[in-house]
Each structure stands twice: as C-alpha cells, then as structure tokens.
C-alpha cells in the first residue's frame, strides 16, 4: 500500500502515521523528521535546511526530492510506504510520480480548519528521539514531558512558535493545498475529518483505506 498523507501543519499527520505504519506494517517516511535528524547531526543538508525551517519556509525542491527518492529505493519500501510531509509542492508530486513504477494508491487528506491549528501547534510536544507527537491538552504523555514510547525528555519544536506557525500556514495554503486538486484529478484522494478525537480519526482512516 502506497499512501501520501496531506493536510495542513498540525492536522495530525504524524500522530496518525505512527498508528497506520504499525497497523499496515509499512514504513513511515517523514521528510520533516529526516531534515531534523540531519540538523541534529550537523550534516551539510541539515545546515542548509535549518535556515528555511526556522523561518517556516519550505526547503527547496532540489534538496528535498533526492532524499525521498533515495529513501524509497530501500528494500523496506518494496511493499508500500506512508509519506508524511512529502510531497508539499506540485513539482515534488510530479517527481514522485516519475520515480515510482506504480502510482500511489491513496492520498489521504486530514482536514482541519485553520482556526483549530494554532492551539494544536503551540501545545505540541515532540520526542526528539523517536518522533512521537503529544499535546499538552489533547494528547498528553503519561508522565509530564516524558515520551510514552521511549522515555526521552519531550521538547517543543522551534518552528511551533506563534509567528512561525502563521508563516507555515500561509505556505501550506499557497504551495501545498493545490495538491488536493492534483490527487483528486488522479482519483486517489480520500478525506477524513481531522477535528474528531485521535482514535476516531484513526477508525475513519481504516474505513477509508479498507474501501480503497
Ligand atoms: P502534523 O504531523 O500534521 O503536523 P501532529 O500529528 O504532530 O501534526 O499533530 C499536531 C498536534 O495536534 C500534536 O500536538 C498532536 O498531539 C495534536 N493532535 C493530533 N491529532 C489530534 C486530534 N484529532 N485532536 C486533537 N489534537 C490532535
Ligand atoms: P514537518 O515536520 O512535516 O512539519 O516539517 C517541518 C519543516 O520541514 C517544514 O516547515 C519545512 O520547512 C521542512 N519540510 C518538511 N518536508 C518538506 C518538503 N516535502 N518540502 C519542503 N520542505 C519540507
């Protein structure tokens, strides 16, 4: 099963991706996580990407497309994958189509209105080690500021500040939302209501994937 997750920052893509990846046994590929790993390892790519990410801007396509192409050529992607945060531009979507031998099965849009996003993002806490995502109010960790999965100390992402979230949302509506039409025209778009409780969203996703 080859799935692309769509939706604004804070829609719940990462949260749902962890569950989908476990249930369907396909790798969860998050370009955001890949960039953050490169930043923490101070690679050349990480140093270049950081400048864009801190401002809430997209990392240029030239730096993004190749890392995904490379990742998808790994053995573990043979029977499918779940892309989270890629593609984010029409150019990336076209590149993805060009390097897959078969088209993707489902582009799953998690719909959340702009008004809900700010509270979601500013209350988000993440695990820097395993990437698990929590929310201080909607999805708190069992022990305050400790990851339920691996026990690491949770952090607040630098780009989850009020100012950067506003920029990231503008970028989403300008550069990424056109992908909804792109995948609709290919008849692979499915939509779920991302404002419901996390577990209900996951049930809805399983329903949609079962029908596809
Ligand atoms: P994305 O990967 O789309 O940017 P996340 O999965 O990191 O989004 O979710 C953003 C924030 O919203 C996190 O703090 C997460 O715990 C919270 N969240 C995710 N899904 C829901 C939901 N259905 N209801 C309320 N909060 C949610
Ligand atoms: P995310 O973890 O998906 O919220 O991504 C965090 C940041 O990483 C984004 O705001 C972008 O700066 C960058 N990024 C992640 N994926 C992409 C992509 N496909 N194209 C360009 N930039 C990206």
């Amino acid at each position: 099963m080859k799935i692309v997750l769509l939706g604004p920052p804070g829609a719940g893509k990462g949260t749902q991706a962890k569950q989908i990846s476990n249930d369907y046994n396909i790798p969860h590929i998050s370009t955001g996580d890949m960039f953050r790993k490169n930043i923490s390892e101070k690679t050349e790519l990480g140093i270049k990407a950081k400048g864009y990410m801190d401002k809430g801007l997209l990392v240029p396509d030239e730096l993004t497309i190749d890392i995904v192409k490379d990742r998808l050529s790994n053995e573990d992607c043979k029977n499918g994958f779940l892309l989270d945060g890629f593609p984010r531009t029409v150019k990336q979507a076209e590149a993805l189509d060009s390097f897959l031998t078969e088209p993707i099965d489902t582009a799953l849009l998690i719909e959340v209105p702009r008004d809900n996003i700010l509270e979601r993002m500013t209350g988000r806490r993440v695990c820097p080690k395993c990437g698990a995502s929590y929310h201080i109010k909607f999805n708190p960790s069992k022990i305050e500021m400790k990851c339920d999965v691996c026990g690491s100390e949770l952090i607040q992402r630098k780009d989850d500040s009020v100012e950067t979230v506003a920029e990231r949302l503008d970028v989403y509506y300008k550069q990424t939302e056109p992908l909804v039409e792109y995948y609709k025209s290919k008849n692979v778009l499915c939509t779920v209501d991302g404002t419901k409780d996390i577990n209900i969203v996951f049930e809805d996703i399983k329903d949609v994937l079962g029908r596809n």
Side-chain angles (χ1 to χ4, degrees):
M1 196 181 286
K2 295 184 287 304
I3 307 171
V4 160
L5 281 183
L6 294 176
K13 299 183 296 298
T15 303
Q16 298 299 332
K18 297 268 178 226
Q19 304 213 53
I20 301 169
S21 167
N22 279 337
D23 249 53
Y24 291 83
N25 201 19
I26 47 175
H28 168 204
I29 300 171
S30 154
T31 39
D33 285 349
M34 287 160 97
F35 286 132
R36 282 184 286 276
K37 186 164 185 283
N38 274 275
I39 290 173
S40 72
E41 289 168 357
K42 298 194 167 56
T43 66
E44 200 181 319
L45 173 66
I47 292 162
K48 283 186 189 153
K50 189 176 186 308
Y52 298 97
M53 290 170 74
D54 284 352
K55 293 194 195 90
L57 302 173
L58 294 186
V59 178
D61 291 336
E62 308 82 81
L63 299 177
T64 308
I65 289 168
D66 284 349
I67 59 164
V68 176
K69 187 175 181 188
D70 196 48
R71 178 66 186 85
L72 292 181
S73 68
N74 281 13
E75 193 59 28
D76 66 337
C77 296
K78 255 197 157 156
N79 295 320
F81 50 78
L82 175 63
L83 282 170
D84 162 13
F86 183 94
R88 260 179 157 103
T89 62
V90 171
K91 197 167 169 207
Q92 291 178 11
E94 287 168 349
L96 176 64
D97 287 343
S98 77
F99 53 67
L100 290 180
T101 47
E102 288 164 15
I104 65 145
D105 302 298
T106 308
L108 186 65
L109 170 65
I110 305 181
E111 243 176 356
V112 175
R114 193 177 182 134
D115 288 351
N116 297 32
I117 299 286
L118 186 65
E119 190 182 10
R120 285 224 186 161
M121 310 265 298
T122 49
R124 170 160 64 184
R125 300 292 180 270
V126 296
C127 175
K129 195 156 169 228
C130 74
S133 181
Y134 301 87
H135 191 281
I136 48 172
K137 186 163 143 196
F138 305 130
N139 183 28
S141 54
K142 291 194 181 85
I143 302 169
E144 209 182 334
M145 290 307 273
K146 286 258 188 279
C147 179
D148 292 351
V149 183
C150 70
S152 304
E153 189 75 16
L154 301 180
I155 57 157
Q156 181 165 24
R157 272 169 53 173
K158 199 176 169 195
D159 59 351
D160 279 347
S161 65
V162 177
E163 304 74 32
T164 316
V165 168
E167 180 65 42
R168 289 167 68 196
L169 279 171
D170 285 347
V171 165
Y172 172 78
Y173 290 109
K174 272 195 212 119
Q175 294 183 261
T176 308
E177 208 191 24
L179 293 180
V180 173
E181 280 308 314
Y182 181 89
Y183 286 114
K184 204 185 264 177
S185 72
K186 294 187 182 289
N187 284 322
V188 291
L189 185 79
C190 295
T191 305
V192 291
D193 177 358
T195 62
K196 296 184 193 168
D197 179 86
I198 290 175
N199 294 320
I200 298 180
V201 177
F202 184 52
E203 290 305 315
D204 291 348
I205 288 176
K206 284 195 288 190
D207 256 14
V208 161
L209 294 179
R211 269 187 263 126
N212 247 27

